[in-house]
Amino acid sequence: MFFASDNWTGASAKVMQALAHVAASPPQAAYGQDEHTARATHLVREVFEAPDAQVFFLASGTAANAMALAHITPPWGGVFCHREAHINGSECGAAEFYGGLKLIGLPGIGAKLTHETLDEAVGRLRIGDAHSSQPGTLSITNLTECGLVYDAGEVAELSAVARRHGMAVHMDGARFANAVASLNQTPANLTWRAGVDVLSLGATKNGALIAEALVVFDPARASGLGYRRMRAGHLISKHRVIAAQFEAWLGDGHWLDLARHANAMAAKLAEGFAKAGVALAWTPAGNEVFPALTPEQDARLKAAGALYYPWPAAEPAHPLPAGTTVMRFVTSFQTSEEEVAGMLRAIA
Amino acid sequence: MFFASDNWTGASAKVMQALAHVAASPPQAAYGQDEHTARATHLVREVFEAPDAQVFFLASGTAANAMALAHITPPWGGVFCHREAHINGSECGAAEFYGGLKLIGLPGIGAKLTHETLDEAVGRLRIGDAHSSQPGTLSITNLTECGLVYDAGEVAELSAVARRHGMAVHMDGARFANAVASLNQTPANLTWRAGVDVLSLGATKNGALIAEALVVFDPARASGLGYRRMRAGHLISKHRVIAAQFEAWLGDGHWLDLARHANAMAAKLAEGFAKAGVALAWTPAGNEVFPALTPEQDARLKAAGALYYPWPAAEPAHPLPAGTTVMRFVTSFQTSEEEVAGMLRAIA
Amino acid sequence: MFFASDNWTGASAKVMQALAHVAASPPQAAYGQDEHTARATHLVREVFEAPDAQVFFLASGTAANAMALAHITPPWGGVFCHREAHINGSECGAAEFYGGLKLIGLPGIGAKLTHETLDEAVGRLRIGDAHSSQPGTLSITNLTECGLVYDAGEVAELSAVARRHGMAVHMDGARFANAVASLNQTPANLTWRAGVDVLSLGATKNGALIAEALVVFDPARASGLGYRRMRAGHLISKHRVIAAQFEAWLGDGHWLDLARHANAMAAKLAEGFAKAGVALAWTPAGNEVFPALTPEQDARLKAAGALYYPWPAAEPAHPLPAGTTVMRFVTSFQTSEEEVAGMLRAIA
Amino acid sequence: MFFASDNWTGASAKVMQALAHVAASPPQAAYGQDEHTARATHLVREVFEAPDAQVFFLASGTAANAMALAHITPPWGGVFCHREAHINGSECGAAEFYGGLKLIGLPGIGAKLTHETLDEAVGRLRIGDAHSSQPGTLSITNLTECGLVYDAGEVAELSAVARRHGMAVHMDGARFANAVASLNQTPANLTWRAGVDVLSLGATKNGALIAEALVVFDPARASGLGYRRMRAGHLISKHRVIAAQFEAWLGDGHWLDLARHANAMAAKLAEGFAKAGVALAWTPAGNEVFPALTPEQDARLKAAGALYYPWPAAEPAHPLPAGTTVMRFVTSFQTSEEEVAGMLRAIA
């Protein structure tokens, strides 16, 4: 019963088949001059209804985030994000390294920003004063680090604030597939139509092995990014290995099938916790569930073979019962009905 | 008849099998806490007779090089390398980005440095003068960019000069397997026993899909490198995907089998060129052959279906016939006897 | 009646005389090889009872801070400071630029940190987890940005926490002279004896024109700093121009005479505000006074010719009267008794 | 008899008077909001016939160079300069630190580039190939490091090559005053009219104490540079101290008077060497003379009290007599007729 992380999974059969095919094929041009890259790029554009989008395939989501932020933010631009955002607390200073950037972490329940909080924070900068960071970029994560979702309207409201202050907008979409599957809103509506300039699109957590992409919706913003990727050591030489994974992942809605399964498993888990009277820190929207467990419950679940970790819940949606600890349960495309059934029995 | 680059190849069957196994296995810890990483690390240490070596698996050779140089060189340390070294001319300023480093490119036939050239160049720095770069790191490439090899004695001579000036030693081993296979000297003798502090060990060009490693022989030099890797976006989340490739690649001498095949194919090619009276810019030691072709020969080989590219030969071993252009032919584990036979017919 | 900033002042007569002497003297070696640099270095060591201290003269306090932080903190080390610290909010990302560092801003009344707050914050880092910033450096400002002072005991308590977590300690001493004059504790007791590793020592605000120094108490920590200074463009060529100012400033206790005057003027101002029933955001310790003025009082003081600016008081020592705005009044060595008298009349 | 460096000098009486005036004046706004900065900016614009030029006053020429290069060059842009350029060999990697830039050093007699050499070197880059640095910036030094001068036509020819390759043009004008005085061509003709985008304008070596400026002729190129200056720690707080020096220096042609004197003294020295049969490595154009001395001559001059240093002459204008060493003699505004007369006697 693995609920530790969607990073612990393998690849979907379809993705693996594509990889095996690439590995056994005749030689093909390196560094992205191959047909898989062309097709995967085309697919991304199609899925996002963005025929001019520039797509950069990568091996790491942290690289995608840091490279995006460094590319669209001037060195003196502040990057506004939730204080619990992955870029702020879990990338060991990647944006600081890539761009010498200052991240400005803001509060918000469930790692989710509100446009009022953002507006107020940007308003505190001294515009035009050389001593002060200037408005740079807004970075939001969808799903958030606490498994919540921004719908298209919320993204648009935040982007509008950013735009009013002359800022660019980045979305960390490590679990973007889960957000799309959860909302039933189109990828385009959740991104560029709502003001997002650059998306870190993660496939790794949801069926691929090593496959991330940076999608730059306005091609002008991508100018030079290929060189930045190279000098960061992130132009993968056997580039088609990444591209082929994306090809299989995005083709025929496979990515959303995988995400829907993961989300459904999480929903069942959440239901099980609710039935058992366990409070959840936040109402789950995707593939993450955050129950507040008593030591006794924790011991019982672990005895039943469940694997999961505590999650510091700085800003829960409501006060949690005393003596409990918030735990994170992550489901994935690989989570089986059996694992969930086992959990439900253990919770009950 | 693919001789364009060893980067164009797929994976060896053994490596691919290992990958498929990983993809279909139950979830395992991310970020290197898995058993494949443990085993691959163990294998590297065994192969290099270096039980304390610290090993960092990566997705890119450029990342390995730049991270190594930034980690072992103070920002004000000059990095001495051949002027045609990959780090100097083909990484778009990666060492400059990672470490703010100044590379000092030196001449040398076949992209190979001599210890005299190195000694003289380091001697030109003004030691202790804040205006001048200080002795930092020597970086050599084995195989060199022109397919030549440094044997253990040559590495030791260069390292001795570096050491005398207080410098660290880095080896770019993108084709280290081919060097080992060519020399029949042990990995340990070619590296740490000859004074190398850090090795960029490439598997990608020789049978893996995406698999590079940084091997730090003195563990003290590796302190903090894990954090540097993370903030560079180079800690691959499904880390076992890289590690499993290394496991298969290094196990049972598979890496050297693959390299020996590639080298043998190159030797046959070279023999064919020689028989046909085609001058080679340098006597090949590994899996690269650099014939100086006339336009007529070039046309003939291309007509026969050979794929290869010109290579600017700044410092050939001897004057080349007028009217010829030096071309690079790269063989690989995937090069078939049939391809070589076809080439030999076309050359003759 | 100038109370806008101590940055607005000129030079003390003694400092200016020294400068004029240098300007008219025969040529002397550049880049710090001159006798003024030798004497000023000697004086710093004497004043701090630190015969081995390494001293780097600079033209800017921001440079001193950023260079210090980048030199003593590994790139992945978090820098803990007050969230209103100059390095965090008023240097436009200098530490981020110089070291790719992440600053972690903490709360505290009057821009002053407590050791409990620090301990708790460092404790939140995940030690050894590559995703998390690691304990790096504690940076405190003395006087704080709100004119408060850390005494030797408080510095020692904070340093002890830092040390326990393996962190270095930096002190931003832009107004260190005012702190020393206020506390009547020795420079040594306030710095290295209390655990400070590196001090940014500012003379500019207190009688010099352009004169800052980085004092590194443990010479081992200064290794290479001269090169870092050079490549940052901060090795001033006519180095004696800075050094001669320090020579005059530190000699015969001139720096403390100047600071005592500034502090005394501030104390008189504070007394005047108190008598007039004006609340102060914090009890002043040095040369800065922060009254909470009503619009009427503000208008009256400005009509009387006083020059000063509002100061956002995020964390006042106690609730301030509704309808008031906190203003910052800075006194200096140049503040005259007449200016203060004029103010007292205007306040009353 | 001081000929060691123009960095060893003090200030001209006029500059010093201006400084003393500032030091004793009533407080004025810091950070460049003062009237001296306004007037000095106006003067720079007037002298350069460039009413829209953006001017950034600085304390260091290295800072001016590195900041300029980082601001106008994308990180992946190569910076072409003479291999003996100050930015390449005497700034300890400043451009590498500020911009992560790769400098590409080119040959040329007397540290002077030809447009043919430049064109050929830029032509060797692989345009659009992510592995290769891309055309970035041309940086030339006027006077060159060997005391030669580029006239307006030569600057224009070089700039034209740069422009044709899409590159920006930077001029290191540490001794720009000497170049202007030598050529009798206008500052405008030598810079923006000849294609220069940014000029590092040095006053320090020629009569000021600490006074450098970055002059950006096209205001669009200066966008954000004020923030870059701040985060580099190069916004001098008592900004008028720098500005007042420039005011005095540029006013009434004082800067050219000073430079003409220095140049004239150098011409006399050169004449003396010629008369004595001493070969010069290059024909001097400004305030630097490079005689090739025999050990006997060297001993004689030193015995007479002359102070100067050897200068490695990589590319002399013509072969130099065996057994001689090239020495650098630098004259300045402070060089007296007596010193020169003494030298002429000693040489003869």
Side-chain angles (χ1 to χ4, degrees), chain A residues 145-147 279-282 284 288-292 311 326-329:
Chain A
E145 283 72 15
C146 300
L280 300 182
W282 308 282
E288 297 177 295
V289 184
F290 295 84
W311 190 263
V326 174
M327 304 290 175
R328 185 180 76 154
F329 287 72

Side-chain angles (χ1 to χ4, degrees), chain C residues 244-332:
Chain C
Q245 294 177 70
F246 261 102
E247 215 184 330
W249 189 69
L250 280 177
D252 303 318
H254 184 52
W255 66 306
L256 294 179
D257 292 343
L258 296 169
R260 267 185 223 109
H261 174 81
N263 288 2
M265 295 299 103
K268 284 199 181 175
L269 269 188
E271 214 181 318
F273 281 118
K275 270 193 193 152
V278 174
L280 300 181
W282 309 281
T283 305
N287 66 323
E288 297 178 294
V289 184
F290 294 84
L293 299 182
T294 63
E296 186 275 328
Q297 291 168 326
D298 182 39
R300 186 145 43 90
L301 293 185
K302 278 181 178 144
L307 196 60
Y308 55 85
Y309 290 103
W311 189 263
E315 293 164 295
H318 44 76
L320 296 170
T324 61
T325 301
V326 174
M327 304 289 176
R328 185 180 77 155
F329 287 72
V330 192
T331 58
S332 79

Side-chain angles (χ1 to χ4, degrees), chain B residues 246-280:
Chain B
F246 262 102
E247 216 184 330
W249 189 69
L250 280 177
D252 302 318
H254 183 52
W255 66 306
L256 294 179
D257 293 342
L258 296 169
R260 267 185 223 110
H261 174 81
N263 288 1
M265 295 299 102
K268 284 197 180 175
L269 269 189
E271 214 181 318
F273 281 119
K275 269 191 193 153
V278 174
L280 300 182

